[in-house]
Amino acid sequence: MAVEHSTGTSTPAPGDQTRIHNIGYRSYDGPRLGRAYARRSLYSQSLRGSYGLGRSVKSKVLPMLLFVVMCVPAAIMVAVAVATKANALPLDYTRYAIVMQAVISLYVASQAPQSVSRDLRFKTVPLYFSRPIETADYVRAKFAALASALFVLTAAPLLVLYVGALLAKLDFADQTKGFAQGLVSVTLLSLLFAGIGLVIASFTPRRGFGIAAVIAVLTITYGAVSTLQAIADAQGSGDAVPWIGLFSPITLVDGVQSAFLGATSASPSGVGPSNAEGIVYVVVALGVIAASYALLMRRYKKVGL
């Protein structure tokens, strides 16, 4: 603060502590790592976040618990097979994810909103795009991260089954073939569920709403399709059962693996789609994945403005 005198000059007021400090701002001379590095970093951070790594203990509880729940039944089956010296595992590799679909759906419902809803709620998406990263980079990183997290969740119990089968001295060729078929199945499931979960979660900044919406879509469609298939089978309209299965993500995966991976169908009739019908299942599954990616791209072009 200064005091004005009649002479027109100003002098510092007594006790004035005004200082000008040189805080040493310098331009950055280091390497510019670019979009690829930013995309990999976002993928890594999102994948770690899907299991609560690098976050609070509270954030780790549910994903880790679901991971354990997925693996424990496989460990029990292995223990039974070894103890009884069984000639085969109690459950095929391709059937495991279908049986555990409720746990998988709960994982997607909890982690898809965590991956994208927080960015919407706190309006951090434009900050991502202010860096050398574009809409496609963000969408690919988030899609790949959740799909990878789902693959870890679904492939880990298959690995437990495979190792246990070898310890039980079951046929190596048969077990390796079954394990490979199971990995193909859960890869498709991971991409399909990740795409659907992210699309739903990307339309609400509220995590609770996102969780409820994902659970509703995955469980209601499966319940409705299973009920309609049972009704069609009971009324002797078995030809309609495979076509009804196109309208639920889990039955879609079941149809693909029943047609081409030698799996037993989970439909009420126990009969899966034919090879021709199976091609339709593959086209629809890949179409849903592609449509999910396209919808995410369109959504984030608007959000990033």
Coordinates of all heavy atoms in Angstrom, one line a residue, residues 43 46-47 50-51 67 107 111 144-154 190:
Y43 N -4.7 -46.4 -20.6 CA -5.1 -47.8 -20.6 C -4.6 -48.4 -19.3 O -5.4 -49.1 -18.6 CB -4.5 -48.5 -21.8 CG -4.5 -50.0 -21.6 CD1 -5.7 -50.7 -21.9 CD2 -3.4 -50.7 -21.3 CE1 -5.7 -52.1 -21.8 CE2 -3.4 -52.1 -21.2 CZ -4.6 -52.8 -21.4 OH -4.6 -54.2 -21.3
S46 N -6.5 -47.1 -16.2 CA -7.9 -47.6 -16.2 C -7.9 -49.1 -15.9 O -8.8 -49.6 -15.1 CB -8.6 -47.4 -17.6 OG -8.6 -46.0 -17.9
L47 N -7.0 -49.9 -16.4 CA -6.9 -51.3 -16.0 C -6.7 -51.5 -14.6 O -7.3 -52.3 -13.9 CB -5.9 -52.0 -16.9 CG -5.7 -53.5 -16.6 CD1 -6.9 -54.3 -16.8 CD2 -4.6 -54.1 -17.6
S50 N -9.7 -50.8 -12.5 CA -10.7 -51.8 -12.5 C -10.6 -52.8 -11.4 O -11.6 -53.5 -11.1 CB -10.7 -52.6 -13.9 OG -11.0 -51.7 -14.9
Y51 N -9.4 -52.9 -10.8 CA -9.3 -53.8 -9.6 C -8.9 -53.0 -8.4 O -8.4 -53.6 -7.4 CB -8.2 -54.9 -9.9 CG -8.7 -56.0 -10.8 CD1 -8.5 -55.9 -12.2 CD2 -9.5 -57.0 -10.3 CE1 -9.1 -56.9 -13.1 CE2 -10.0 -58.0 -11.2 CZ -9.8 -57.9 -12.5 OH -10.3 -58.9 -13.4
F67 N -13.4 -61.3 -8.0 CA -12.3 -62.2 -8.6 C -12.2 -63.5 -7.8 O -12.1 -64.6 -8.4 CB -11.0 -61.4 -8.6 CG -9.9 -62.2 -9.2 CD1 -9.7 -62.2 -10.6 CD2 -9.0 -62.9 -8.4 CE1 -8.7 -62.9 -11.2 CE2 -7.9 -63.6 -9.0 CZ -7.8 -63.6 -10.4
Y107 N -19.7 -57.5 -11.9 CA -18.4 -56.9 -12.1 C -18.5 -55.8 -13.2 O -18.0 -54.7 -12.9 CB -17.3 -57.9 -12.5 CG -16.0 -57.3 -12.7 CD1 -15.1 -57.2 -11.6 CD2 -15.5 -56.8 -13.9 CE1 -13.9 -56.6 -11.7 CE2 -14.3 -56.3 -14.1 CZ -13.4 -56.2 -13.0 OH -12.2 -55.6 -13.1
Q111 N -17.7 -51.8 -12.5 CA -16.5 -51.2 -13.0 C -16.7 -50.3 -14.2 O -15.8 -49.4 -14.5 CB -15.5 -52.3 -13.2 CG -15.1 -53.1 -12.0 CD -14.7 -52.1 -10.8 OE1 -13.8 -51.2 -11.0 NE2 -15.2 -52.4 -9.7
A144 N -10.4 -51.0 -24.2 CA -9.4 -52.1 -24.0 C -9.1 -52.4 -22.6 O -8.9 -53.6 -22.2 CB -8.1 -51.7 -24.7
A145 N -9.1 -51.4 -21.7 CA -8.9 -51.6 -20.3 C -10.0 -52.5 -19.7 O -9.7 -53.4 -18.9 CB -8.7 -50.3 -19.6
L146 N -11.2 -52.1 -19.9 CA -12.3 -52.9 -19.3 C -12.4 -54.3 -19.9 O -12.6 -55.3 -19.2 CB -13.7 -52.2 -19.5 CG -14.8 -52.8 -18.7 CD1 -14.6 -53.0 -17.2 CD2 -16.1 -52.0 -19.0
A147 N -12.2 -54.4 -21.2 CA -12.1 -55.7 -21.8 C -11.0 -56.6 -21.3 O -11.2 -57.8 -21.0 CB -12.0 -55.6 -23.3
S148 N -9.8 -56.0 -21.0 CA -8.7 -56.7 -20.4 C -9.0 -57.1 -19.0 O -8.7 -58.3 -18.6 CB -7.5 -55.8 -20.5 OG -7.1 -55.5 -21.8
A149 N -9.6 -56.3 -18.2 CA -10.0 -56.6 -16.9 C -11.0 -57.7 -16.8 O -10.9 -58.6 -16.0 CB -10.6 -55.4 -16.2
L150 N -12.0 -57.7 -17.8 CA -12.9 -58.8 -17.8 C -12.3 -60.1 -18.3 O -12.6 -61.2 -17.8 CB -14.0 -58.4 -18.8 CG -15.2 -57.6 -18.2 CD1 -16.0 -57.0 -19.4 CD2 -16.0 -58.4 -17.3
F151 N -11.3 -60.0 -19.2 CA -10.6 -61.2 -19.6 C -9.8 -61.8 -18.5 O -9.8 -63.1 -18.3 CB -9.6 -60.9 -20.8 CG -8.9 -62.1 -21.3 CD1 -9.5 -63.0 -22.1 CD2 -7.6 -62.3 -20.9 CE1 -8.8 -64.1 -22.6 CE2 -6.9 -63.4 -21.4 CZ -7.5 -64.3 -22.2
V152 N -9.2 -61.0 -17.6 CA -8.5 -61.5 -16.5 C -9.5 -62.2 -15.5 O -9.2 -63.3 -15.0 CB -7.8 -60.4 -15.7 CG1 -7.2 -60.8 -14.4 CG2 -6.6 -59.8 -16.6
L153 N -10.6 -61.6 -15.3 CA -11.7 -62.1 -14.4 C -12.2 -63.5 -14.9 O -12.4 -64.4 -14.1 CB -12.8 -61.2 -14.3 CG -14.0 -61.6 -13.4 CD1 -13.6 -61.3 -11.9 CD2 -15.2 -60.8 -13.7
T154 N -12.4 -63.6 -16.2 CA -13.0 -64.9 -16.7 C -11.9 -65.9 -17.1 O -12.3 -67.1 -17.1 CB -13.8 -64.5 -18.0 OG1 -13.1 -63.8 -18.9 CG2 -15.0 -63.7 -17.6
S190 N -15.7 -60.9 -23.1 CA -15.1 -59.7 -22.5 C -15.3 -58.5 -23.4 O -15.7 -57.4 -22.9 CB -13.6 -59.9 -22.3 OG -13.4 -61.0 -21.4

